Amino acid sequence: METKKKGPSDYPMVVAICAFSVENVRKHLHHNLAQLSGDEYFVQLDRPSTPEAESVAAEVDAAGGTMRVLGATGGLSASRNLMLARWPNHHVMFVDDDVRLDAKAVTAVRESLRAGTHVVGTRLARPPRPLPWYVTSGQFHLLGWHRDDREIKIWGACMAVDTAFAHANGLDFDLALSRTGGNLQSGEDTTFVKLMKDAGAREQLLPDCSVTHDVDPARLTLRYLLRRAYWQGRCESRRGQAWAGFRKEWDRHRTAPESRLRLPLACLYGAVTAWGVLHDQLLLRWGRDHRSAAV
């Protein structure tokens, strides 16, 4: 009698933490594990091996998860591609190391995938902390937070994928858009989702289910946000949508309903984004390898 081939729903869902910060792994470990129900918890640290990293790996293993230290920094896209290769026929929920999970969201994602969805996203909520004057909802996307007044999109901080579908269509994450080292590149997540949908993937958004994106307070500095805006422009350029991408960014910055400073802030962030677009275009024209160009 022929044995039926197993599909992704026959295995536990994998909650895959693509980590860069050892501190964040330790900080959220026990909370996140408590939100799971029969799911596999796997942490992949995209850093060299250190005594501290090995110590945290032992903590993860003792708590019931698994942690692998890669031994070098390859970048976020490369880390996610290793996850795709490790689980080629599974449901994988990619989670950033600074995300605090919620049991309701994890359950909804698992049920959506088992019902036949190929790519799923939840709402990314901000932690309840005061914001500086130069941060409005117009800049939330630079920090990985969804706005309450707009529809959500699937972003990589919490994004679940049917890896069997991705493998069947030869899809992976674009290394040219990967955040690596000191650069703040982005867009590998939304580009991957678009490729999945273009290949016929069924998408589901879960706006009523949220996880908390507890970003490092150091990212709330004006310097960091301006760097992010610059790299956002670079990424829109290398995705082949330079000016359409800039217009999208301008719209995000100028439509913060809660702030009287939205227009001057839109001009500030918009100008930096435009410089990122222009700089990347100039690098392309000069024939330089814009993937490795330093800011």
Side-chain angles (χ1 to χ4, degrees), residues 109 119-123 152-155 158-160 203-207 209:
V109 167
V119 58
V120 187
T122 69
R123 181 175 295 280
I152 70 170
K153 294 183 177 180
I154 297 180
W155 289 343
C158 186
M159 171 181 67
E203 174 191 48
Q204 183 169 13
L205 304 175
L206 301 172
C209 298

Side-chain angles (χ1 to χ4, degrees), residues 46-205:
D46 189 32
R47 298 287 292 270
S49 180
T50 63
E52 183 183 15
E54 296 301 334
S55 174
V56 173
E59 288 182 37
V60 174
D61 293 347
T66 303
M67 178 167 160
R68 178 188 179 197
V69 181
L70 292 180
T73 300
L76 185 53
S77 287
S79 184
R80 286 183 171 150
N81 286 338
L82 287 173
M83 296 286 202
L84 290 178
R86 187 181 185 92
W87 289 285
N89 190 36
H90 290 69
H91 293 147
V92 174
M93 183 178 178
F94 289 103
V95 180
D96 282 0
D97 60 29
D98 54 1
V99 164
R100 289 176 63 83
L101 295 174
D102 175 83
K104 176 185 174 183
V106 175
T107 297
V109 167
R110 185 192 314 112
E111 292 176 348
S112 176
L113 289 167
R114 290 184 176 175
T117 307
H118 299 112
V119 58
V120 187
T122 69
R123 181 175 295 280
L124 291 163
R126 72 180 182 93
R129 66 169 66 120
L131 297 176
W133 62 269
Y134 48 81
V135 179
T136 72
S137 61
Q139 289 76 55
F140 278 11
H141 66 291
L142 299 178
L143 295 159
W145 298 333
H146 286 120
R147 287 170 57 162
D148 293 333
D149 62 334
R150 291 200 169 188
E151 294 182 357
I152 70 170
K153 294 183 177 180
I154 297 180
W155 289 343
C158 186
M159 171 181 67
V161 173
D162 181 329
T163 64
F165 183 94
H167 278 280
N169 289 278
L171 305 179
D172 58 13
F173 293 90
D174 189 344
L175 297 178
L177 299 173
S178 177
R179 182 173 301 189
T180 308
N183 73 50
L184 297 178
Q185 293 172 159
S186 61
E188 85 296 331
D189 48 358
T190 52
T191 300
F192 179 82
V193 171
K194 183 179 185 303
L195 292 173
M196 290 278 284
K197 291 165 66 176
D198 288 347
R202 292 187 292 278
E203 174 191 48
Q204 183 169 13
L205 304 175

